[in-house]
Amino acid sequence: MLKLHGTGVALITPFNENSSIDFPGLEKLIDHVITGGVDYLVVSGTTAESATLSKTEKKEVLEACIKFNAGRLPIVLGIGGNNTQAILDEIDDTDFSQIDAILSVSPYYNKPTQPGIIAHYTSIADHCPVPVILYNVPGRTMSNVTFQTTVQLSQHPNIIGMKEASGDLSQCMRIAARMPDDFLLISGDDILTPSMRVIGGAGVISVLANAYPEIFKTICHGSLEEAKLAAFRLLDINPLMYEESNPVGLKCLMKELGICGDTVRLPLVPASESLKERIKQLLL
């Protein structure tokens, strides 16, 4: 899966002021990130506010992304949740003819044990017609996919990678030391991407690449020195993307850059005036 090396951009879903999907804004966003040099698109991930999209809207967004992409880049589709059977049903209801892989977040709220996580992902991987990328983000799911679990799941022939957003570089190193040679260890933390490259990471699935794809092209494909310096440029603005929950800060930034509006769906609300001012001051 060399085509999934480098920068995958976790696309936001632009909304109009009435909260309907802004399809012209989505097209502008896709052209922006492709022109900027990202390597693949991630559609309907958590950054896309997929939890607030209806089944019909998810299909419409996917169809629009396929149309606007026009075959230029691989597409990874977010299909995850905390109801294993519902995920299998969604897989059955999805046309995978132009999808290269799925990204599936570890179950949230339920807080399954490690055997439960293994059984969950094994069911998905056995059922899915395209490869599966795991996604560990304990800050949102309140449970960690341990390195032992990741290594065990990496042996499944249809599980090709892990988006690691635990922020624990030691855990990532333990995965890297034991994973198969063709397994994709993907950074889920924009700032840690150069460090992940050093230990054998395959790139990043990025939030800030929506705004700054050129910087992530350098982070993923430049020399390690260039990657380090590029990541340093993001040190101040990166935490503002999460201060009032993702993608509130990002959508504020995208509005400032003139790419799309800053509307988010409830229960999220737009950035506070304080956050807006600080983001404006740190525009790159």
Side-chain angles (χ1 to χ4, degrees), residues 20-279:
S20 63
I21 297 171
D22 175 12
F23 288 104
L26 181 59
E27 182 174 16
K28 185 175 181 179
L29 170 63
I30 289 173
D31 286 340
H32 168 72
V33 297
I34 293 178
T35 300
V38 304
D39 298 284
Y40 59 99
L41 307 178
V42 179
V43 178
S44 290
T46 50
T47 299
E49 297 174 80
S50 54
T52 67
L53 296 177
S54 69
K55 289 183 179 180
T56 298
E57 288 175 324
K58 286 181 180 179
K59 287 187 176 183
E60 291 172 345
V61 167
L62 176 59
E63 291 169 358
C65 287
I66 290 171
K67 176 183 176 182
F68 300 149
N69 178 48
R72 290 177 286 178
L73 293 181
I75 291 178
V76 173
L77 177 64
I79 300 182
N82 62 350
N83 179 339
T84 308
Q85 186 57 53
I87 296 170
L88 302 184
D89 293 343
E90 186 173 352
I91 288 171
D92 287 339
D93 196 39
T94 299
D95 178 2
F96 286 97
S97 59
Q98 297 187 67
I99 305 301
D100 295 271
I102 69 167
L103 175 67
S104 194
V105 67
S106 179
Y108 43 82
Y109 193 79
N110 307 32
K111 297 181 70 175
T113 62
Q114 297 303 305
I117 291 171
I118 290 168
H120 169 81
Y121 276 127
T122 300
S123 295
I124 292 171
D126 287 346
H127 199 78
C128 191
V130 298
V132 176
I133 300 172
L134 317 174
Y135 180 15
N136 183 34
V137 56
R140 283 182 174 264
T141 65
M142 302 309 294
S143 67
N144 180 47
V145 181
T146 66
F147 81 86
Q148 297 98 327
T149 292
T150 299
V151 171
Q152 182 172 336
L153 286 168
S154 73
Q155 305 303 314
H156 193 292
N158 202 35
I159 294 177
I160 62 166
M162 163 63 91
K163 178 185 175 183
E164 245 294 344
S166 66
D168 184 345
L169 193 57
S170 175
Q171 175 164 291
C172 296
M173 291 176 70
R174 292 180 185 277
I175 295 169
R178 295 164 175 82
M179 67 188 186
D181 290 341
D182 59 353
F183 191 73
L184 303 175
L185 179 57
I186 302 168
S187 176
D189 186 321
D190 290 353
I191 298 299
L192 288 183
T193 306
S195 299
M196 295 285 277
R197 278 186 63 185
V198 170
I199 65 171
V204 62
I205 293 179
S206 169
V207 170
L208 269 170
N210 281 274
Y212 301 123
E214 298 91 348
I215 293 178
F216 282 89
K217 182 178 180 179
T218 301
I219 289 174
C220 287
H221 298 292
S223 68
L224 287 177
E225 179 67 16
E226 290 168 337
K228 177 187 72 174
L229 294 175
F232 285 171
R233 296 179 63 195
L234 302 174
L235 280 173
D236 291 332
I237 199 166
N238 183 66
L240 301 186
M241 299 300 98
Y242 308 98
E243 185 174 302
E244 296 181 2
S245 196
N246 184 38
V248 171
L250 175 61
K251 282 196 165 181
C252 174
L253 174 58
M254 301 299 281
K255 182 176 181 179
E256 291 299 322
L257 295 175
I259 298 169
C260 62
D262 65 349
T263 301
V264 291
R265 282 185 173 175
L266 292 171
L268 298 180
V269 294
S272 65
E273 289 303 317
S274 171
L275 181 58
K276 287 179 183 178
E277 288 304 313
R278 283 177 286 143
I279 288 174

